[in-house]
Amino acid sequence: ELEAARAADPQNVSALRALGIAYYKKDRFADASAVLEQARVLAPKERLIALYAGMSAERIPNYTIARAAYDQYLAIPRSRFSLRARRTDVQVRQRLVVIAREESIERAKAAVAAEATLSATPGDP
């Protein structure tokens, strides 16, 4: 039903949000990320879309998109104060720390791989 709603109106933010969240809950993270990225562009002030976009991208993993979505989430003002929203903000900040660590690990692995390639090449006599 949600896929049909999206097909009928690809600009329908409500349908995109609901479909992306449904994909996320069914562990279809790549599909969720694609749909939620489209929704994030159409509705840049919706915290829920940015949150699920970040979580979906992180599970793929695509840390660049996850970081951008989480940063967007934190930049959007809350519509009302709630303890749940504050806890979610804290958790998103914690996820950003984890993402930074994972990106560092990826860069280190790439550097080691590049070093292995360079050390296999004989030097100039």
Side-chain angles (χ1 to χ4, degrees):
E1 186 176 302
L2 292 171
E3 289 171 340
R6 176 188 180 200
D9 182 5
Q11 305 295 311
N12 183 335
V13 174
S14 297
L16 292 171
R17 179 190 333 103
L19 180 59
I21 291 171
Y23 282 153
Y24 179 86
K25 290 180 178 180
K26 292 291 185 182
D27 296 337
R28 293 177 57 182
F29 304 118
D31 292 330
S33 184
V35 170
L36 291 164
E37 277 304 298
Q38 182 183 2
R40 201 162 67 94
V41 168
L42 293 170
K45 302 264 188 227
E46 283 210 28
R47 286 173 60 92
L48 188 61
I49 291 172
L51 177 63
Y52 272 93
M55 292 189 310
S56 299
E58 191 176 355
R59 297 292 294 270
I60 293 174
N62 184 327
Y63 298 124
T64 302
I65 290 175
R67 174 186 299 285
Y70 287 151
D71 285 341
Q72 181 180 8
Y73 170 85
L74 291 171
I76 300 168
R78 281 184 240 138
S79 59
R80 65 181 196 274
F81 178 82
S82 74
L83 187 57
R84 173 186 267 175
R86 285 188 66 193
R87 274 189 257 147
T88 303
D89 290 357
V90 169
Q91 291 171 338
V92 166
R93 286 185 179 89
Q94 291 169 342
R95 296 310 311 155
L96 284 167
V97 171
V98 171
I99 288 170
R101 185 186 70 218
E102 292 299 324
E103 288 174 326
S104 294
I105 290 169
E106 286 181 357
R107 283 192 300 274
K109 286 179 182 179
V112 168
E115 181 65 28
T117 301
L118 291 174
S119 66
T121 306
D124 187 6

